[in-house]
Amino acid sequence: MESSKYPNFPRLTSGGLKFADSKEACSFKHQRRTNPSRAASLPADRVRQQAIDQVKKMGGDVSDEKVVWGQYRVQFGIFRGQTFRWVLENSLGYVGWMIAGMKGEKPTQTPVSLNRFTFKQYVESFEEGRQVIDIKRRERYQPPPTQSPPGMSAVPTARTNTFSSLLVGRPLSPHVLQRKVQQTLHEDKSVPRQVASCKTERTELETLEAIQRYEESGSRDIKVPVLFATAGTSSSSSSTQPTSNTDVSLPEGWKQTLPVADHLWVSKTLFHTTKKGKVAMDWSKVNRLWWYPPQPALVYSKPPRCDRYFSSRLLLWMPRKLWHVRLVCPQASCHNCELTSAGIYPRLRQVLDVDGYYSLATEYLECCKCKKKVISWSGAVIKQLDVGHRLQFPVILSYKYACDTRVIVLLRQRGLGNSATQLRKKISEEHSETWLRKAAHYLTDCQAFAAASERKLVAGPTFQDPPARVPIPGYRWFQLIYSNEVLQRLDEVKASITSVVGRVLKLDSTKKITKKLAGQSTGTAAWATNMGNEHGQVLMSVLTATEGTGLAPMIEGIVRRYTTMREPPPELLYVDRDCCGTSSQLRTMFSEWPDLKIRLDIWHFIRRFAVGCTTESHQLYGVFLKRLSSCVFEWSGEDLERLKAAKRAEMIAKHVTNMTESDVMRAIKKKELQQHCRRATRGRDETEQLIYQLLVAFSGDQGLDTLGVPLLDSQRIWEIWASQKQHIRCIQDPAHFQLYTKIGQITKSGICLPVYRCARGSTSLESFHNHLHRFIPGYHLSGRLVNDSGLVVVLN
């Protein structure tokens, strides 16, 4: 049989068939799960014609039916789109499992059925394929062999198990064993063998003494009694633990949803079998929320059980049973009829935690009137508990998965480096490390028995592979859970936000957030408008279709808030537009506050003049804006003299002599001026005169760079001046209004300098817009996620 015509069946180094998937198959599986195929299945005649064309293209023999079948494309399953031959060469275990499951199935005329039976016919045409099918059928339909009689050792099977093979041969140190486990993490495991049961009564001390005598003798002629007898091995899936259904007393629903590693300890801890042979929960033992599994022993005298290492804790949520609280039916028609216990809920939920998963179990509650059942973990029940008991339920439920609140807390403080994708990567890494530590612990304990078996001290024990690591949901699920968590505490968030007021308000809009909207929310909003106060807090944030329009409900809500809280109306409002006139749209909205002074933000006023520049990269662009700011503001003489005295004393302490006034001013940093010196506007007339002189100066030779390029567009800048001249009175500080608040003081060179915070302008809202943009990572988000994330930003 030529390898170019027929498939090359994968084999192990020992010569046996290799059932594990190849790297190409694993990569294809991962790609298919990420981007599943949604194309319709091709008809059988078209699949055959494409295969014939491919064989001709490869120069093959189209009269050989096996060659043609090998180029058929799979129309079903995870390997859909690959050829029959490729699947047979890269995933032999999957092929045998799939065909073994077709026992008793009859073909139909559908494209998928015809394709499946053609694939079966192709596999059965090879001797190796028939062997694989026979092995898989025995695994599926034959019961496990009975245990060997006492005193007799069953013949051990070939060591094809991936993890068990690490225990054979030279003893490995824990470090080397951990590294080898890491190398095999992404490989499919072979079929594990069941851990043999121990039928001897040899104690741990006798075992150690026998090993010591053997090693001291240096000879292999010493007769050492068999310390462990192994049972017949049986094939099982890689996630099966060494406990059978007859060993555990669990309801059928719990057996299906509880991890197999937890079956034994949960059944022994919480359940018992009644006289009628039924499984029932032992209610006398239900006395706490959290239940923890037994830990692995420090020293083993018999082969260790895999489930001792990979079991997880259990949260038994039964508030009525544990705290004896009165719970009522959530149906309005029942008029607060009390709920009674109706047994345990038949299914468990696996809860994602920071370093692994744990199980969540609960009970059914039944209404005495309407006879409807309610699950104890439902929101209608949890809301009836007081705060102390409600906080003891640390789980956020979704339709399929559940998440611990410790994971969601990591998403509350988010930015450019803490998105849902980044959190998923960190959680996945933590889960991998935890799983690896457990696997290394288990295999290290097994290594001693493998070494004893090599020295003929024990009859070869069989070990089981660690269970596969449970995958983690995608990043979109983390975003969904985050939104659900915000909605759970929505009342608290709204209460905190709506209790914020101030005497200086600021109103500003941005487009940075609305550009992130995707899906059904695309195009529904163009501006995000926020209102803040002098302390940097945000009172309200809304999304509108246009800037300024649609703000009436927001402003009505702000006015109602002040009225409800019996707070005096604010005295000053800074805006970036619509500042002038008694009949302006904004003034009409604030008609209930007639004494409110509306001022234009000076930063926005200066930016309007920047539009008249030819380019921002001009050499004089920064100088022009700095001079323009000086035309509007003047520093407080008292504060400036105090700061210069402190700076002069600091320079003298550094042995700087012969200082001029300009040297001291150059030594003062911009941040020091902002912290320790107050500013005030110069007045309407003086500001208008200074700005006019500045524009005249920069329109001439002083506005040219070294290449003779002018800074200002002569026509545009004077048009801007004509339109903005009327707003000079809108940027002046209100008379007798304190805009600065002293928040502290520092001492420099023996001189006490106050630290001020300024309430002027809407710069704090500009910073909030940048923070909001970073806090909501991504560029294509749903309206719900943007809204929930915005609530958290406003709250913080």
Side-chain angles (χ1 to χ4, degrees):
M1 187 179 296
E2 299 177 6
S3 59
S4 60
K5 293 175 57 179
Y6 303 120
N8 297 319
F9 288 87
R11 294 186 180 276
L12 300 168
T13 55
S14 60
L17 292 173
K18 182 180 180 181
F19 288 0
D21 289 348
S22 65
K23 293 183 179 180
E24 292 79 6
C26 294
S27 175
F28 187 84
K29 280 184 176 181
H30 176 72
Q31 181 181 1
R32 181 52 53 88
R33 291 190 182 103
T34 306
N35 299 310
S37 175
R38 304 184 185 276
S41 300
L42 299 178
D45 54 350
R46 185 173 177 184
V47 173
R48 179 172 180 80
Q49 186 59 44
Q50 289 180 354
I52 294 175
D53 295 341
Q54 183 64 25
V55 173
K56 292 180 179 179
K57 184 177 179 181
M58 297 167 57
D61 184 8
V62 296
S63 61
D64 191 338
E65 198 66 22
K66 291 184 181 180
V67 177
V68 177
W69 282 342
Q71 298 304 316
Y72 272 42
R73 295 284 176 179
V74 178
Q75 303 297 314
F76 58 88
I78 191 67
F79 293 113
R80 182 176 179 179
Q82 293 290 356
T83 63
F84 286 2
R85 176 173 176 175
W86 186 93
V87 177
L88 202 55
E89 291 178 341
N90 291 275
S91 186
L92 192 57
Y94 166 80
V95 172
W97 170 83
M98 188 271 296
I99 297 179
M102 295 174 62
K103 182 179 179 181
E105 181 179 342
K106 296 181 179 180
T108 62
Q109 295 302 316
T110 61
V112 173
S113 178
L114 294 175
N115 192 259
R116 282 165 57 88
F117 276 89
T118 304
F119 187 36
K120 177 183 178 183
Q121 189 176 1
Y122 174 66
V123 176
E124 291 177 341
S125 64
F126 301 101
E127 178 63 27
E128 294 87 344
R130 292 191 292 270
Q131 293 178 7
V132 173
I133 297 173
D134 291 340
I135 293 173
K136 291 297 181 180
R137 280 177 178 169
R138 287 197 299 270
E139 294 176 5
R140 274 198 173 211
Y141 303 110
Q142 288 185 4
T146 58
Q147 193 174 16
S148 299
M152 295 185 63
S153 175
V155 180
T157 57
R159 291 191 291 264
T160 59
N161 191 304
T162 304
F163 287 96
S164 300
S165 62
L166 299 178
L167 306 176
V168 179
R170 180 176 59 87
L172 303 176
S173 65
H175 175 73
V176 176
L177 184 62
Q178 183 176 6
R179 176 170 56 82
K180 288 184 175 294
V181 171
Q182 285 179 324
Q183 295 174 355
T184 57
L185 279 179
H186 301 291
E187 299 179 5
D188 259 8
K189 309 177 190 63
S190 303
V191 180
R193 298 189 296 274
Q194 191 173 7
V195 175
S197 61
C198 179
K199 293 299 181 180
T200 181
E201 296 182 356
R202 293 285 182 175
T203 64
E204 174 188 344
L205 181 61
E206 292 175 342
T207 304
L208 295 178
E209 289 176 351
I211 295 175
Q212 185 176 4
R213 290 197 305 269
Y214 171 78
E215 292 180 344
E216 290 176 353
S217 65
S219 172
R220 296 184 178 271
D221 297 332
I222 296 179
K223 296 181 180 180
V224 182
V226 176
L227 302 179
F228 300 102
T230 59
T233 60
S234 62
S235 300
S236 59
S237 63
S238 60
S239 62
T240 304
Q241 300 298 327
T243 57
S244 62
N245 291 335
T246 59
D247 298 330
V248 297
S249 299
L250 289 174
E252 288 300 324
W254 283 48
K255 289 182 180 180
Q256 297 175 6
T257 54
L258 184 69
V260 184
D262 298 322
H263 281 191
L264 186 60
W265 80 266
V266 171
S267 66
K268 290 184 177 181
T269 305
L270 295 174
F271 290 91
H272 70 280
T273 304
T274 63
K275 295 180 180 179
K276 297 182 179 180
K278 294 184 179 180
V279 177
M281 176 169 281
D282 190 350
W283 295 104
S284 62
K285 297 181 179 179
V286 180
N287 54 8
R288 59 182 182 271
L289 280 175
W290 291 97
W291 298 80
Y292 295 90
Q295 298 301 306
L298 297 179
V299 179
Y300 277 99
S301 59
K302 61 181 180 179
R305 300 175 61 92
C306 186
D307 53 353
R308 281 293 183 96
Y309 299 82
F310 293 92
S311 53
S312 57
R313 66 188 188 275
L314 171 69
L315 172 59
L316 195 60
W317 180 251
M318 296 182 177
R320 187 180 184 278
K321 173 69 178 177
L322 295 175
W323 299 313
H324 305 286
V325 295
R326 183 179 183 272
L327 302 173
V328 299
C329 180
Q331 302 295 330
S333 58
C334 293
H335 304 290
N336 294 332
C337 183
E338 186 175 0
L339 295 173
T340 59
S341 297
I344 59 174
Y345 186 64
R347 292 184 176 275
L348 289 84
R349 301 292 292 271
Q350 296 303 306
V351 183
L352 175 71
D353 203 355
V354 174
D355 57 352
Y357 283 86
Y358 63 85
S359 301
L360 171 64
T362 187
E363 65 175 338
Y364 260 138
L365 300 177
E366 186 177 19
C367 177
C368 300
K369 187 174 182 181
C370 65
K371 302 301 180 182
K372 291 185 178 179
K373 291 185 177 181
V374 183
I375 308 176
S376 293
W377 64 41
S378 63
V381 173
I382 294 178
K383 288 181 180 179
Q384 299 181 37
L385 302 176
D386 54 44
V387 177
H389 290 122
R390 192 187 312 162
L391 292 178
Q392 295 189 46
F393 184 70
V395 181
I396 301 172
L397 299 171
S398 64
Y399 178 76
K400 187 177 180 181
Y401 301 101
C403 183
D404 193 276
T405 52
R406 295 199 304 167
V407 177
I408 299 304
V409 167
L410 301 177
L411 273 177
R412 290 182 182 175
Q413 296 294 336
R414 286 193 291 163
L416 292 177
N418 190 24
S419 61
T421 303
Q422 184 67 18
L423 176 63
R424 184 184 181 276
K425 293 179 181 178
K426 293 179 179 178
I427 295 296
S428 179
E429 182 69 20
E430 188 68 30
H431 280 221
S432 299
E433 288 294 325
T434 303
W435 186 93
L436 182 59
R437 285 194 297 269
K438 293 180 179 179
H441 187 188
Y442 168 61
L443 295 177
T444 302
D445 289 347
C446 294
Q447 189 176 17
F449 294 92
S453 175
E454 289 291 323
R455 299 167 185 171
K456 307 302 181 182
L457 295 175
V458 297
T462 54
F463 305 102
Q464 186 168 6
D465 271 357
R469 186 170 67 87
V470 181
I472 296 176
Y475 73 94
R476 293 187 183 275
W477 179 78
F478 282 88
Q479 294 177 343
L480 174 64
I481 289 295
Y482 175 74
S483 297
N484 292 345
E485 191 268 342
V486 174
L487 293 179
Q488 285 186 2
R489 52 192 181 99
L490 183 60
D491 294 339
E492 302 172 9
V493 172
K494 293 171 67 175
S496 179
I497 295 175
T498 54
S499 62
V500 178
V501 293
R503 68 187 186 96
V504 178
L505 299 184
K506 308 172 183 185
L507 193 65
D508 197 9
S509 303
T510 181
K511 285 187 174 182
K512 296 177 181 178
I513 308 304
T514 56
K515 292 180 180 179
K516 294 175 176 284
L517 293 174
Q520 297 180 353
S521 304
T522 305
T524 56
W527 292 89
T529 305
N530 304 284
M531 179 173 287
N533 61 11
E534 69 273 20
H535 304 295
Q537 299 169 308
V538 179
L539 280 71
M540 190 173 290
S541 180
V542 298
L543 299 180
T544 57
T546 57
E547 187 178 17
T549 305
L551 297 180
M554 181 185 76
I555 295 176
E556 291 176 2
I558 294 294
V559 174
R560 191 184 312 113
R561 180 188 305 182
Y562 276 80
T563 304
T564 304
M565 298 177 63
R566 297 181 181 180
E567 290 284 338
E571 304 176 37
L572 186 60
L573 172 66
Y574 281 99
V575 296
D576 59 350
R577 60 188 300 276
D578 203 14
C579 56
C580 297
T582 58
S583 60
S584 65
Q585 182 181 7
L586 197 59
R587 176 65 69 179
T588 303
M589 294 180 184
F590 285 103
S591 58
E592 296 188 26
W593 292 341
D595 298 332
L596 179 66
K597 301 178 180 63
I598 300 179
R599 291 291 185 267
L600 177 64
D601 178 58
I602 298 177
W603 183 82
H604 285 88
F605 175 78
I606 294 176
R607 291 298 303 171
R608 294 176 182 180
F609 283 92
V611 179
C613 297
T614 55
T615 176
E616 294 185 359
S617 59
H618 198 279
Q619 297 174 357
L620 299 176
Y621 180 78
V623 178
F624 172 71
L625 294 184
K626 185 177 181 180
R627 297 280 181 86
L628 188 59
S629 177
S630 301
C631 295
V632 178
F633 293 110
E634 61 178 349
W635 294 103
S636 170
E638 178 185 357
D639 296 338
L640 188 59
E641 289 299 326
R642 187 186 299 110
L643 179 59
K644 288 195 295 185
K647 181 58 68 173
R648 187 179 292 107
E650 182 181 352
M651 296 174 68
I652 292 175
K654 296 181 179 179
H655 308 289
V656 180
T657 58
N658 300 326
M659 295 171 291
T660 63
E661 191 73 11
S662 59
D663 293 336
V664 176
M665 288 300 299
R666 281 194 298 269
I668 297 176
K669 300 178 182 179
K670 181 179 179 181
K671 186 176 180 180
E672 294 176 327
L673 280 172
Q674 293 175 347
Q675 281 186 336
H676 309 300
C677 297
R678 292 167 292 183
R679 290 193 301 179
T681 53
R682 296 178 178 271
R684 177 179 179 181
D685 296 336
E686 183 179 359
T687 302
E688 182 176 351
Q689 181 182 1
L690 291 175
I691 293 178
Y692 177 77
Q693 293 175 359
L694 179 67
L695 296 179
V696 171
F698 274 85
S699 296
D701 294 340
Q702 295 184 20
L704 303 178
D705 62 1
T706 55
L707 298 177
V709 178
L711 170 66
L712 302 179
D713 186 326
S714 57
Q715 180 179 357
R716 186 189 306 170
I717 194 65
W718 292 110
E719 292 177 355
I720 295 174
W721 168 246
S723 62
Q724 298 302 318
K725 183 166 54 174
Q726 59 179 334
H727 293 298
I728 293 180
R729 66 181 181 87
C730 300
I731 64 175
Q732 304 301 317
D733 295 339
H736 310 293
F737 189 86
Q738 184 60 256
L739 289 173
Y740 284 87
T741 303
K742 183 179 177 180
I743 60 175
Q745 62 182 19
I746 61 175
T747 302
K748 284 188 176 182
S749 302
I751 299 178
C752 183
L753 298 175
V755 179
Y756 295 107
R757 181 176 59 200
C758 182
R760 181 191 296 112
S762 59
T763 308
S764 59
L765 284 182
E766 296 293 339
S767 301
F768 172 73
H769 293 161
N770 291 330
H771 177 66
L772 186 63
H773 178 67
R774 296 188 180 101
F775 187 89
I776 309 177
Y779 298 95
H780 303 285
L781 306 174
S782 64
R784 175 184 172 183
L785 182 61
V786 172
N787 179 72
D788 295 341
S789 301
L791 282 174
V792 176
V793 179
V794 172
L795 174 64
N796 294 339

